[in-house]
Amino acid sequence: MKNVIGIAALSCVLSCSAPARAGASAPAPVTYQVPASWKRMSDDGTPAQNQGAMFEVTTRDSSEDHPLVVIRSYKQPSGLSMDNIDLEQVAKKITPGGVPISCADDGTNWKTCVFLGHVDDKKIVVLYRIGVKDGYVAEEAFLFPLAAAKSDELALLTVYGQEAQQGRTTGVYAALHSTYKTISLFNEFTKTLGINGPAPFNAKAIMAKLPEEAHPTVYRWKGDPAGSSSAGG
């Protein structure tokens, strides 16, 4: 992504989140597979310690707004568990004005979320995935602009399973076809992210069709942070 989003992601996610540093490959228990076509933009760290990397998702599309993917993996900070991750703080660290929109648990060790923020005058969507297992943490932030394709119909970007867990569906309205292509890339990559083996991945990013009477509105996820500890230590 050749725009300001890349600068924001690098400065905010990798330096604001934690003392953890990003690495060319994950610590041994954390594994993932990056497509060969993705462009590596940053990496740091050592295999035994905290690591992460940032990639630009390059495709045949000539658009300048290619998604960015930031991956972090590190030893589990004392007191951090899936029960006390403060998603409000995580969203704010990843992008200015970030707020959680939708979130669903994926078993006891993983969560998938949609955050909404902004960089300058652009609205930014963040598809976020976190796992806490066997003393390690894996985080993925998949950032892309909220598309405004006038010729495209709208659909609700949300997380599968969120309605069943919270009793209602929340999400953000986005251009259906262009956004679907992007979330498909997120889902395909996220299937490869695991800690000591494959992780369950039922809480996928999905596009839900709108009722005919609906109007484009952003709904904010109303979950209550369970504690003061935030992902990133």
Side-chain angles (χ1 to χ4, degrees):
M1 188 179 296
K2 305 178 192 176
N3 54 31
V4 70
I5 300 174
I7 299 173
L10 178 61
S11 63
C12 192
V13 178
L14 295 185
S15 66
C16 293
S17 286
R21 288 196 302 248
S25 60
V30 178
T31 54
Y32 53 82
Q33 293 182 327
V34 176
S37 62
W38 289 12
K39 179 181 177 182
R40 184 183 294 272
M41 300 180 67
S42 173
D43 61 74
D44 191 10
T46 60
Q49 298 297 326
N50 306 313
Q51 293 189 15
M54 184 167 69
F55 299 88
E56 180 183 18
V57 179
T58 54
T59 65
R60 294 180 180 178
D61 187 351
S62 61
S63 168
E64 293 184 355
D65 289 331
H66 292 152
L68 286 178
V69 181
V70 180
I71 309 161
R72 299 182 60 244
S73 50
Y74 48 94
K75 291 184 177 179
Q76 182 177 348
S78 177
L80 179 68
S81 70
M82 292 301 291
D83 293 331
N84 64 9
I85 292 171
D86 189 338
L87 294 173
E88 298 275 352
Q89 292 301 315
V90 174
K92 290 176 182 176
K93 288 178 179 179
I94 293 178
T95 182
V99 293
I101 300 295
S102 180
C103 191
D105 293 331
D106 223 344
T108 59
N109 300 109
W110 295 87
K111 289 182 186 289
T112 306
C113 302
V114 176
F115 301 152
L116 187 65
H118 62 84
V119 174
D120 291 339
D121 60 344
K122 286 191 175 182
K123 289 184 179 180
I124 303 300
V125 175
V126 180
L127 301 178
Y128 177 74
R129 176 79 165 173
I130 184 168
V132 181
K133 181 183 177 184
D134 297 341
Y136 283 84
V137 180
E139 287 185 273
E140 171 194 353
F142 199 103
L143 300 89
F144 59 97
L146 182 61
K150 295 180 179 179
S151 61
D152 201 350
E153 60 183 310
L154 294 176
L156 191 70
L157 170 57
T158 186
V159 179
Y160 180 79
Q162 190 263 347
E163 180 179 13
Q165 293 179 23
Q166 298 185 22
R168 60 195 177 122
T169 298
T170 59
V172 58
Y173 289 108
L176 173 60
H177 298 292
S178 57
T179 307
Y180 180 79
K181 292 177 182 179
T182 303
I183 68 172
S184 295
L185 294 171
F186 166 78
N187 288 334
E188 284 299 312
F189 171 72
T190 303
K191 286 192 299 186
T192 74
L193 180 64
I195 302 175
N196 280 332
F201 188 42
N202 297 311
K204 296 177 171 64
I206 61 170
M207 299 296 289
K209 282 296 189 75
L210 299 172
E212 291 184 3
E213 67 277 9
H215 299 284
T217 307
V218 172
Y219 291 95
R220 182 175 175 180
W221 176 71
K222 295 296 184 180
D224 295 322
S228 59
S229 297
S230 62

